Amino acid sequence: MAQENKGKKIGLLGKINIAIVVAAAIVLALCYFTTTNSVDNVITEEIEPYSVALLSDGSKEYFFKLVDYDYHYSGIAFYTAHQEVTAYNMGREIYSFNKTGGFWTSSPGSTYNFVEINEKMVQIAVIIKPSYDIVADQKLTFYIGSSYGMYDDIMTASMPRFFASMLVVFLSILLFIYYAVMHEKQNLSRDLLYLGYFSFFCGVWSINETDVSSLIMNNKIVDSLIPYFCLMLAVPSMIMFFDSYLEIKAAIFHKIIIGYSVVQTVVLSVLHFTKIAEYRETLVFTQVLLMVAAVYLITGMVGQIIRRNFSRRLEICAAGLSLFVFALFVDVAQYYRALGDADKVGRYVFLIFVFMLAWDMIKEANEILEKGRRAKQLELFALTDSMTGLYNRNAFERQTKVEAEKGGSLEGLVAVVADANGLKHCNDTYGHEAGDEYISIVAELFNSVYGKYGNCYRTGGDEFCCIIPAGRHINMERLKKLFMAKVYTANLEGDHVFDIGVAVGDAKYDAKLDRDFRALLKRADAHMYENKRELKAAIS
């Protein structure tokens, strides 16, 4: 049964993740089949400007001849990052993308520009002004075709990467929820929480880097700032997770990297908002820090391999982190070579890697929980009477020791003791099987009345006790009458061959009468024996 519960817990997490993947695949398929080829005879091709002029303010003016293009071509599309764009036809402005963020940023952000054209236009000029010197030499690629068709093509091509990034964010949210619900029950470490933060920041950064985000995000300023914040915040959570997960134990380097990351984030933010050097201009520092963090983690893993500290965690990280670091180098190189969505590989590798890490930690947590559950079951088995299901003598002695250690702080505690009458006669007359049935019936009756208020114990062959904690407002005389009524009913309606007789007594702790818990038990025993004598006198 324990194994089944374990499987159900792991299976549930797997089903949730599979459902997300399937849902993403369905949405992607629907998007693809409902948008592709929705425009007949769409022709999209790269178009080269027939001349480029460098203006005095650092802007570049691109001239395009449109005499060879008919009504099938309704727009020119191109991607710009941190560039102000203005397009003219015959001196008349037909398009602009030049609204900057003011206090937030001097850049208008990144976007796909769609300049509407028609067959009457002979020539257009596109002026592009860089927001920063560092982006002045960006190589732009221009396409001409149907505006809707080009939008559709870009959206469809980027959709798999967008949903991969969304899955990373969904997975991080699942980790947050799982940690919030299970961290106390499973005594989870903060590794899972650190992984959630790391994957969340990387996922949000990745979403904002996709062409889908560029197309659908209306606020280009926010869209351009979010990736920088996420990259800077990803470094501390990355170090904290892997350092704890792999137990690298390099506290000095750990503190240096995290401390430097915090200081760098503050310094870069001050430089950005004072317009001395904005995030895009200082991006290289964040990328270098990411590389340093990756080298630190790889060095930590190599150190563990040298020390032969092999583990399942090390194997997962060695495989996943190596692929991820390789993808990071590839995508950073791609970032400087081409505009637009440069993260072609990393998000897929990262999604798989995060899933592997989360699966391993949750599986490990469930294994620990299962071991604890088994230990509790064994403990419960050792403290439970197999015949009656009540706590046994061992459990009673343990509880007696606990109560005895409380000394005089037992005020209000109640002890109830019961003894089955005539058990020896039942065994001698009807056999031990009937005697066992006798004991089981008495235990069931005793527990049905007193077990609602405290723990019931079988303290001997035919002896029982219930310890009722202080603070329970109970009419003990009423409970005693109810118990005797149940015994009477069991004799009247039961199909057993013997008559049941039970004597019961109770006592409430009184500091004037009881010096400790055992003294309380003696008083309860005395009351039980009084009841036994009363019952015998009534029978005779």
Side-chain angles (χ1 to χ4, degrees):
M1 180 63 70
Q3 290 291 339
E4 290 178 3
N5 290 337
K6 177 184 175 183
K8 286 180 182 178
K9 284 181 176 295
I10 296 177
L12 177 62
L13 183 72
K15 288 177 182 177
I16 292 174
N17 285 281
I18 291 172
I20 293 174
V21 174
V22 171
I26 292 173
V27 173
L28 177 59
L30 288 173
C31 178
Y32 179 80
F33 288 114
T34 56
T35 58
T36 302
N37 296 328
S38 56
V39 178
D40 295 332
N41 300 319
V42 171
I43 301 174
T44 300
E45 58 182 286
E46 188 173 334
I47 182 174
E48 293 285 346
Y50 76 86
S51 69
V52 179
L54 182 61
L55 305 181
S56 59
D57 62 353
S59 303
K60 287 184 180 179
E61 188 171 19
Y62 298 83
F63 295 94
F64 297 91
K65 286 184 177 181
L66 306 177
V67 292
D68 297 329
Y69 300 98
D70 57 20
Y71 67 92
H72 291 105
Y73 300 88
S74 59
I76 293 177
F78 54 97
Y79 182 86
T80 57
H82 308 285
Q83 309 261 17
E84 297 178 26
V85 181
T86 311
Y88 299 91
N89 172 242
M90 303 297 290
R92 181 175 60 87
E93 183 180 305
I94 57 174
Y95 174 83
S96 67
F97 175 70
N98 51 24
K99 183 179 179 181
T100 62
F103 166 78
W104 297 102
T105 175
S106 300
S107 166
S110 304
T111 190
Y112 271 95
N113 300 272
F114 293 91
V115 180
E116 298 295 327
I117 62 173
N118 57 57
E119 66 275 14
K120 296 180 180 180
M121 294 182 180
V122 176
Q123 175 180 290
I124 66 168
V126 178
I127 299 176
I128 297 180
K129 180 182 179 181
S131 301
Y132 320 113
D133 292 338
I134 198 170
V135 299
D137 296 327
Q138 288 178 351
K139 187 180 184 315
L140 304 182
T141 304
F142 299 88
Y143 297 93
I144 188 170
S146 163
S147 295
Y148 181 82
M150 290 187 290
Y151 183 98
D152 177 52
D153 290 342
I154 297 168
M155 179 74 78
T156 303
S158 179
M159 197 62 74
R161 296 191 289 274
F162 176 76
F163 276 102
S165 302
M166 289 292 293
L167 283 174
V168 173
V169 174
F170 284 143
L171 183 57
S172 67
I173 293 173
L174 284 178
L175 293 179
F176 290 139
I177 294 173
Y178 186 87
Y179 181 83
V181 173
M182 303 296 290
H183 79 280
E184 291 186 358
K185 183 177 181 181
Q186 293 185 319
N187 195 25
L188 294 174
S189 68
R190 288 184 173 269
D191 295 0
L192 204 66
L193 192 61
Y194 296 149
L195 178 61
Y197 284 122
F198 177 49
S199 58
F200 178 79
F201 292 136
C202 288
V204 174
W205 165 76
S206 185
I207 287 173
N208 280 268
E209 288 295 299
T210 61
D211 290 338
V212 173
S213 178
S214 297
L215 292 173
I216 67 176
M217 185 75 168
N218 289 326
N219 194 324
K220 304 299 182 182
I221 306 303
V222 173
D223 191 44
S224 67
L225 291 178
I226 287 177
Y228 301 117
F229 284 117
C230 289
L231 277 180
M232 289 186 290
L233 293 172
V235 175
S237 55
M238 174 184 178
I239 293 294
M240 293 172 72
F241 166 69
F242 285 107
D243 206 54
S244 177
Y245 182 70
L246 292 173
E247 298 180 350
I248 294 177
K249 297 178 180 178
I252 295 177
F253 294 104
H254 171 96
K255 292 178 180 179
I256 289 175
I257 294 176
I258 292 181
Y260 179 79
S261 173
V262 173
V263 172
Q264 177 177 282
T265 300
V266 173
V267 171
L268 295 186
S269 296
V270 171
L271 293 176
H272 175 86
F273 290 111
T274 56
K275 299 295 189 294
I276 295 174
E278 297 199 4
Y279 287 133
R280 177 59 187 87
E281 298 175 279
T282 59
L283 177 61
V284 65
F285 294 103
T286 302
Q287 292 173 333
V288 168
L289 186 59
L290 279 169
M291 297 294 183
V292 170
V295 171
Y296 166 76
L297 298 178
I298 293 174
T299 304
M301 288 193 298
V302 171
Q304 290 201 339
I305 293 172
I306 294 173
R307 293 191 298 271
R308 298 185 179 277
N309 293 332
F310 298 107
S311 65
R312 182 174 63 185
R313 290 185 169 191
L314 183 62
E315 292 173 358
I316 292 174
C317 285
L321 195 59
S322 298
L323 289 173
F324 177 64
V325 171
F326 170 76
L328 181 64
F329 278 97
V330 171
D331 289 337
V332 168
Q334 179 70 16
Y335 179 86
Y336 286 100
R337 287 207 313 261
L339 293 178
D341 188 358
D343 187 8
K344 306 294 184 183
V345 180
R347 54 172 56 92
Y348 300 110
V349 174
F350 186 72
L351 173 62
I352 296 171
F353 186 31
V354 171
F355 183 84
M356 289 169 57
L357 291 169
W359 184 274
D360 176 64
M361 284 190 291
I362 292 175
K363 181 180 178 182
E364 189 176 277
N366 278 293
E367 289 174 354
I368 295 172
L369 181 65
E370 185 59 30
K371 288 179 181 178
R373 194 180 287 129
R374 288 179 182 175
K376 286 184 178 180
Q377 287 178 342
L378 290 174
E379 182 182 11
L380 186 63
F381 180 76
L383 299 176
T384 303
D385 179 61
S386 58
M387 180 188 297
T388 63
L390 303 183
Y391 287 108
N392 60 17
R393 182 73 187 186
N394 291 334
F396 178 73
E397 291 298 334
R398 175 186 289 187
Q399 189 61 35
T400 298
K401 185 178 180 180
V402 171
E403 300 297 346
E405 290 175 352
K406 291 181 180 178
S409 61
L410 298 174
E411 199 68 38
L413 186 76
V414 176
V416 184
V417 294
D419 184 84
N421 300 326
L423 177 61
K424 184 177 184 304
H425 178 266
C426 179
N427 283 328
D428 295 342
T429 306
Y430 304 108
H432 286 281
E433 186 174 340
D436 291 345
E437 183 183 2
Y438 192 134
I439 293 171
S440 297
I441 292 174
V442 172
E444 183 179 353
L445 294 173
F446 186 72
N447 190 55
S448 68
V449 175
Y450 295 101
K452 297 177 181 178
Y453 306 99
N455 291 331
C456 293
Y457 304 83
R458 183 188 178 193
T459 56
D462 59 352
E463 299 171 351
F464 304 91
C465 180
C466 179
I467 301 174
I468 301 176
R472 301 288 179 89
H473 301 289
I474 307 168
N475 187 328
M476 297 306 299
E477 190 61 31
R478 184 187 68 82
L479 285 186
K480 182 178 179 180
K481 290 180 179 180
L482 176 62
F483 177 66
M484 290 303 182
K486 282 182 175 282
V487 172
Y488 177 80
T489 303
N491 281 322
L492 190 66
E493 299 179 355
D495 58 356
H496 39 76
V497 296
F498 46 80
D499 288 330
I500 300 171
V502 186
V504 65
D506 61 77
K508 187 175 183 178
Y509 183 84
D510 187 339
K512 297 178 180 179
L513 302 175
D514 308 308
R515 66 177 181 275
D516 55 23
F517 179 70
R518 292 190 182 278
L520 173 66
L521 289 177
K522 287 182 180 179
R523 277 206 304 123
D525 269 332
H527 292 161
M528 183 270 293
Y529 281 112
E530 288 178 11
N531 182 240
K532 187 182 285 283
R533 287 191 292 270
E534 291 172 0
L535 291 174
K536 286 183 179 180
I539 293 174
S540 61

